[in-house]
Amino acid sequence: MRTTDLRIIKTKQALHNALLTLLIQKPLEQISIAEICREAKVNRGTFYLHYEQKEGLFEEYFQEIMEDLYQSYEEPYRAVTTLDTNQLDPNTIRIFHHIERYKMFYRIVFSKNVPLTYYYMLFDGIYSLLERDITSHHEHQMADNISIGYYSAYQANAIIGLIIQWYRGDFSDSVTVLNQQLAAILKNVRSGG
Amino acid sequence: MRTTDLRIIKTKQALHNALLTLLIQKPLEQISIAEICREAKVNRGTFYLHYEQKEGLFEEYFQEIMEDLYQSYEEPYRAVTTLDTNQLDPNTIRIFHHIERYKMFYRIVFSKNVPLTYYYMLFDGIYSLLERDITSHHEHQMADNISIGYYSAYQANAIIGLIIQWYRGDFSDSVTVLNQQLAAILKNVRSGG
DNA sequence: TTAAATATTGAACATCTGTTCATTAAAATC
DNA sequence: GATTTTAATGAACAGATGTTCAATATTTAA
């Protein structure tokens, strides 16, 4: 029974809450570690016992949000939940819904003064979903000179490209529009333009 | 004749040189503004007269490097220099050469503790080259329900996806491999997998 | 060459960072 | 419940940040 010390849980919770409270008031880059600690009533030294930067704290939230993304694809009753862009029905794509749901959050993730870490977390998330799809759907086999790594990276980041464009329009387009765009792009590309 | 004040030029040059000197010794994140100013023999207050963060200084270098990317596509004697992935001959793609040439630099750009700004600069660069190709090559017309914005963002970021994968393997693959992978992926996608 | 314009400087300030350490408090284990 | 283990605290430190200001130096324009 290897449970985490209660004090650690309490401290982290207090820091999480403090960060959330402050994020409502101002962007992450304007929040200092000292401020978070004051708000959380936690000694500043204690913060450094658990994290190196405020970004580490933010990262813990991201983990939870990534869980939501993964779970979208774990629904057992969903017949086709493939992310593979070669056999993709845009209605099965849950990513844009996921982004929409956590819009507030992704506004931070995509803001320009934030470290690349978060971007990579999203990238890795989509990448691994894609990679799983590609390797599991054996019926669809690729030219064997294509590296699955490069292929997944290409497709994953292409989707994030759409999300960046979406973000830059302040997410004003609907999820449906995004799904349609993706479907149209894939169709267009396949037919050779 | 609206020339910049000589003093400004001198100051910026000193700061540029100082940053370069320090970047050889340690990563950007470990370099402080105070340190740059000491090295450049420039008053710290002066730094803030021109920049907000050390990242702004780094950004100025990036502009120059982006110039190289643009110029690759401006060579007038190159018959087809299209970036349009629908009519792409990988030999005409200069991007991977460009990245290779500035490898040292892009190692910083893609490192995880660096702000997203640089990523966006690269993205915007590729995006605008792509967008220009797509709108200029009229013979190739897309389904008109596709937004050029989304389409360009998709394609531009897909290419960066390859670069991320490349970076993560510490750029150990050759430019040729990257060009081949891109060609293979595009061919594979078009033929419907 | 002189006068006007403006960039740089040094000094100061409150605040933040990252780290250390002995002390205190709380939790886990017996 | 007492004991051991470990987390949290407060205080202190050198250094960094971001800002302001009057004084000075350099450049530009007349």
Side-chain angles (χ1 to χ4, degrees):
Chain A
M1 196 125 108
R2 165 144 291 293
T3 309
T4 321
D5 194 307
L6 269 183
R7 290 166 294 185
I8 295 178
I9 295 172
K10 284 179 194 166
T11 297
K12 288 199 166 188
Q13 212 149 63
L15 290 171
H16 282 170
N17 292 337
L19 179 61
L20 265 198
T21 303
L22 293 170
L23 274 178
I24 293 167
Q25 301 164 31
K26 46 178 144 175
L28 184 63
E29 67 225 70
Q30 280 173 35
I31 299 170
S32 70
I33 292 175
E35 202 173 3
I36 296 169
C37 294
R38 271 196 304 275
E39 173 73 32
K41 285 174 183 57
V42 161
N43 190 278
R44 201 164 53 82
T46 308
F47 178 95
Y48 289 103
L49 241 43
H50 300 292
Y51 308 98
E52 292 195 338
Q53 318 163 293
K54 61 189 172 191
E55 279 79 15
L57 187 56
F58 186 82
E59 211 170 306
E60 280 190 347
Y61 273 115
F62 210 148
Q63 300 290 4
E64 294 173 29
I65 283 159
M66 280 293 97
E67 274 309 305
D68 176 84
L69 178 61
Y70 289 130
Q71 276 170 19
S72 307
Y73 291 88
E74 300 303 344
E75 300 170 19
Y77 302 118
R78 198 163 254 294
V80 186
T81 53
T82 182
L83 249 177
D84 184 344
T85 50
N86 265 331
Q87 42 189 129
L88 178 114
D89 168 6
N91 292 320
T92 68
I93 283 270
R94 313 303 300 163
I95 289 183
F96 301 130
H97 285 100
H98 164 84
I99 303 283
E100 161 100 331
R101 182 155 49 237
Y102 293 100
K103 202 192 288 190
M104 298 256 296
F105 189 86
Y106 282 104
R107 259 191 260 269
I108 298 172
V109 170
F110 285 111
S111 62
K112 67 180 174 41
N113 287 317
V114 122
L116 257 182
T117 326
Y118 313 141
Y119 187 95
Y120 283 139
M121 289 175 78
L122 178 60
F123 174 85
D124 290 336
I126 300 178
Y127 176 102
S128 60
L129 288 173
L130 260 172
E131 195 189 30
R132 197 189 55 181
D133 275 6
I134 294 165
T135 43
S136 72
H137 291 159
H138 289 295
E139 75 270 18
H140 149 255
Q141 56 210 27
M142 291 187 296
D144 50 289
N145 55 331
I146 296 185
S147 132
I148 290 181
Y150 278 120
Y151 185 74
S152 308
Y154 180 95
Q155 300 291 3
N157 219 40
I159 290 173
I160 300 182
L162 292 182
I163 299 170
I164 289 174
Q165 189 74 4
W166 194 19
Y167 156 79
R168 288 182 162 189
D170 200 29
F171 296 116
S172 56
D173 287 325
S174 71
V175 171
T176 310
V177 168
L178 267 289
N179 279 330
Q180 280 166 354
Q181 286 295 315
L182 178 56
I185 289 171
L186 292 173
K187 199 175 153 216
N188 186 70
V189 168
R190 270 182 236 174
S191 68
Chain B
M1 195 123 110
R2 166 143 290 295
T3 309
T4 322
D5 194 307
L6 270 183
R7 290 166 293 184
I8 295 177
I9 295 171
K10 283 180 195 164
T11 298
K12 288 198 166 191
Q13 212 149 64
L15 289 171
H16 282 171
N17 292 337
L19 180 61
L20 264 200
T21 303
L22 292 171
L23 273 178
I24 293 166
Q25 300 164 31
K26 44 178 150 177
L28 184 62
E29 67 224 73
Q30 280 174 35
I31 300 170
S32 70
I33 292 174
E35 202 172 2
I36 297 168
C37 294
R38 271 196 304 272
E39 174 74 30
K41 286 174 184 55
V42 161
N43 189 277
R44 202 162 53 81
T46 308
F47 178 96
Y48 288 104
L49 243 43
H50 299 292
Y51 309 96
E52 292 194 339
Q53 318 163 295
K54 62 189 171 191
E55 279 79 15
L57 186 57
F58 186 82
E59 210 170 306
E60 281 189 347
Y61 273 114
F62 210 147
Q63 301 289 4
E64 293 172 31
I65 283 160
M66 281 291 98
E67 273 311 305
D68 176 84
L69 178 60
Y70 289 130
Q71 277 170 19
S72 306
Y73 291 90
E74 302 301 345
E75 298 170 20
Y77 302 117
R78 195 166 257 291
V80 186
T81 53
T82 183
L83 249 177
D84 184 344
T85 50
N86 266 331
Q87 42 189 129
L88 178 113
D89 169 6
N91 291 321
T92 69
I93 282 269
R94 312 303 300 165
I95 290 182
F96 301 129
H97 285 100
H98 163 84
I99 302 283
E100 162 100 332
R101 183 156 47 237
Y102 294 100
K103 203 190 288 191
M104 298 258 294
F105 189 86
Y106 282 103
R107 260 191 258 268
I108 299 172
V109 170
F110 285 111
S111 63
K112 67 182 176 39
N113 287 318
V114 122
L116 258 180
T117 325
Y118 314 139
Y119 187 95
Y120 284 138
M121 289 176 78
L122 178 60
F123 174 85
D124 290 336
I126 300 178
Y127 177 101
S128 62
L129 287 173
L130 259 172
E131 195 188 31
R132 195 188 57 181
D133 276 3
I134 294 166
T135 45
S136 72
H137 291 159
H138 290 296
E139 74 271 17
H140 150 257
Q141 56 208 27
M142 289 188 295
D144 49 289
N145 54 334
I146 296 185
S147 133
I148 291 181
Y150 278 119
Y151 185 74
S152 308
Y154 180 95
Q155 300 290 4
N157 220 42
I159 290 173
I160 300 182
L162 292 182
I163 299 170
I164 289 174
Q165 190 72 5
W166 194 19
Y167 157 78
R168 288 181 163 191
D170 200 29
F171 296 115
S172 58
D173 286 326
S174 72
V175 171
T176 309
V177 168
L178 266 289
N179 278 330
Q180 281 166 352
Q181 286 296 313
L182 178 56
I185 289 172
L186 292 172
K187 197 175 157 215
N188 185 68
V189 167
R190 269 182 235 173
S191 66

